[in-house]
Amino acid sequence: MSAFAVAERAVEAVPDASARSGSLSGCLFAAARAAPQRTALRDSGDRAAWCGRPAITWTYAAAAEIVGRLARGIGAWRLPAGSRIGLWFSGGAEAALGHLAVEAAGHLPCAMPAAWDPEQLAAGIEAANLVGVLTEGRRGARRPAEELTHVAMRQFGLRYLAAFGPGVPDGVISLDAMALERGVAEPVASRGLVTFEGSDPERPIYRSAEALAAAIAAHCDALPLSADERILTLLPAHDLRGLVTGLGAALAAGAGLETVIPFEEAGFRTALLRPVPTRMVVPALIEPALAALTLPWTVRSLNVVHRAPATLIRRTAPDGGKRRSDSPRSDSPPAGAPRLDTLVLGETALVTRPDLAATLAHPDRAPLPLDLLALALASDGGLACRGPACAAAPLPRGVTPEADAGAWRDSGYRAVLSGGAVIGVAAV
């Protein structure tokens, strides 16, 4: 599979509009047809030490071919359409390929946090009623595939276990071998996504394909991402915040996605200095460390992601949060990359704006994409949201729920006000 590694290459073509409004795997295949040699996925850091595999750069063509092969292999499992299949990865290109393959095969991807211990893993499998789980052979000092085999002994409904990489034990299907088999399946319509509220294994949340596409579009409304750029992210893709700001946004624009997971300073600095126009995505937790870091001229925006409850700071954005892509190139760093803040309201909604505090204080005046996401602030500070971008619902065992996109829903959080300004968001 390392033969698919290629150099960075910018291509002007982008996926067609129909692909953007469809599944993530559909976006991948559309971009592969339009610009096959454009970089889609790249791993950073010492992947060999972390998972026993080299860091690989995947073009859109190579990624689509591997996803198609994996989807064909998963299809051979003869599961009913829409079966729930877990994704238990630490991050990186393999996590993205696994997610896209499950979706392309017509099943429901269920993203699970890598930090779960075996008891949490068992609880998540039970709560989401999973029939299969994709994972990895090595994860630092852990052996996820081996742990999964022990958990599976207590899960009678769990029929298929599969893993990438070395160290795949007996009884677990090798995804590496599956990726080398002949035959590529075209993606079918997406059936949506399952994540877990607050990483709680007993609280799976369902989001339809339309709701996921709307969440991505609402986020991208504030992010002028183009196909010749990349997203450099420090967030794993096991929840809504990581999927929307990373893989979802990249595929919607036909751009590249580079992940720095697990984080290590040398790999991060190498990735940051790569000469590619970059939209960087970081958790608010590391913001103090970033304040001392000089960003290269290639960083066109910094997206700081806050998980509610959170403290917020009023910011000004005279340029609307956008930076001209035709600015003269210079070896000296800019005074500061334009900044976007994303507030994550559980697994319900993401709000991305250049001035998040002002948006929450006066949502009726904010230039939100109201056909996708609307916010309302009650007199007591309670935040409500409406629109397809926040149409999520708890996942029961036997059925797929429906969420009313036109109904106002309580976010579970309230704005913390001081002198008429929003200074944070707290749980209700």
Side-chain angles (χ1 to χ4, degrees):
M1 291 166 65
S2 60
F4 290 109
V6 296
E8 295 278 4
R9 177 178 174 182
V11 184
E12 295 183 356
V14 297
D16 57 39
S18 62
R20 294 188 185 207
S21 62
S23 67
L24 297 182
S25 54
C27 290
L28 174 73
F29 275 67
R33 289 188 290 268
Q37 296 307 309
R38 186 191 309 143
T39 296
L41 303 169
R42 181 194 285 271
D43 288 320
S44 288
D46 190 355
R47 296 287 292 176
W50 175 248
C51 63
R53 301 168 64 76
I56 298 177
T57 299
W58 300 86
T59 64
Y60 266 93
E65 182 176 358
I66 296 302
V67 166
R69 290 181 182 181
L70 293 174
R72 183 176 180 273
I74 293 171
W77 295 351
R78 302 295 184 185
L79 293 170
S83 292
R84 302 170 184 183
I85 298 179
L87 303 162
W88 194 39
F89 290 96
S90 56
E94 290 165 350
L97 294 171
H99 183 116
L100 294 168
V102 170
E103 183 191 78
H107 299 306
L108 187 59
C110 301
M112 305 186 294
W116 277 357
D117 60 29
E119 291 304 315
Q120 291 172 310
L121 178 62
I125 291 170
E126 180 71 22
N129 196 25
L130 302 184
V131 297
V133 175
L134 275 54
T135 188
E136 52 203 331
R138 283 181 51 187
R139 182 188 299 155
R142 294 184 68 176
R143 299 296 181 264
E146 185 175 334
E147 291 179 32
L148 185 59
T149 61
H150 298 304
V151 170
M153 293 178 184
R154 296 174 287 162
Q155 301 291 330
F156 298 109
L158 190 58
R159 298 170 54 190
Y160 292 95
L161 312 180
F164 282 110
V168 176
D170 292 342
V172 178
I173 298 167
S174 170
L175 292 174
D176 289 356
M178 187 185 292
L180 296 176
E181 294 177 357
R182 294 183 179 275
V184 173
E186 286 287 323
V188 301
S190 172
R191 292 178 178 270
L193 166 73
V194 174
T195 52
F196 290 82
E197 184 71 48
S199 294
D200 184 342
E202 297 186 356
R203 299 178 64 192
I205 303 295
Y206 171 74
R207 180 177 299 271
S208 70
E210 294 77 16
L212 178 59
I216 294 168
H219 171 72
C220 291
D221 178 75
L223 179 73
L225 181 66
S226 63
D228 67 338
E229 298 175 324
R230 66 164 175 173
I231 292 176
L232 178 64
T233 183
L234 276 63
L235 294 178
H238 64 236
D239 54 15
L240 189 66
R241 66 168 188 159
L243 281 166
V244 167
T245 61
L247 183 65
L251 291 179
L257 175 67
E258 183 164 355
T259 55
V260 186
I261 299 171
F263 179 84
E264 47 95 10
E265 185 175 356
F268 172 62
R269 290 186 177 275
T270 299
L272 187 60
L273 294 175
R274 215 179 304 284
V276 184
T278 298
R279 307 286 179 170
M280 194 158 79
V281 181
V282 301
L285 182 67
I286 73 163
E287 188 174 10
L290 280 178
L293 183 66
T294 300
L295 298 179
W297 63 267
T298 52
V299 178
R300 293 181 172 177
S301 67
L302 177 63
N303 184 191
V304 179
V305 183
H306 311 258
R307 192 199 299 273
T311 299
L312 303 176
I313 300 174
R314 177 68 187 266
R315 306 184 188 279
T316 57
D319 61 352
K322 298 181 180 180
R323 176 177 171 184
R324 290 179 57 88
S325 60
D326 57 352
S327 300
R329 295 187 175 187
S330 170
D331 291 332
S332 60
R339 172 176 173 142
L340 293 171
D341 286 276
T342 297
L343 177 64
V344 183
L345 300 171
E347 293 302 298
T348 300
L350 276 77
V351 185
T352 301
R353 303 310 303 171
D355 191 341
L356 189 56
T359 297
L360 297 179
H362 303 286
D364 54 323
R365 305 178 197 169
L368 292 167
L370 298 180
D371 58 327
L372 301 171
L373 178 66
L375 297 175
L377 185 66
S379 57
D380 63 354
L383 284 168
C385 55
R386 181 175 67 180
C390 61
L395 178 74
R397 281 184 59 85
V399 298
T400 300
E402 292 186 8
D404 184 1
W408 284 100
R409 61 187 67 221
D410 185 354
S411 70
Y413 296 93
R414 62 178 179 83
V416 179
L417 300 165
S418 177
V422 172
I423 60 172
V425 177
V428 173

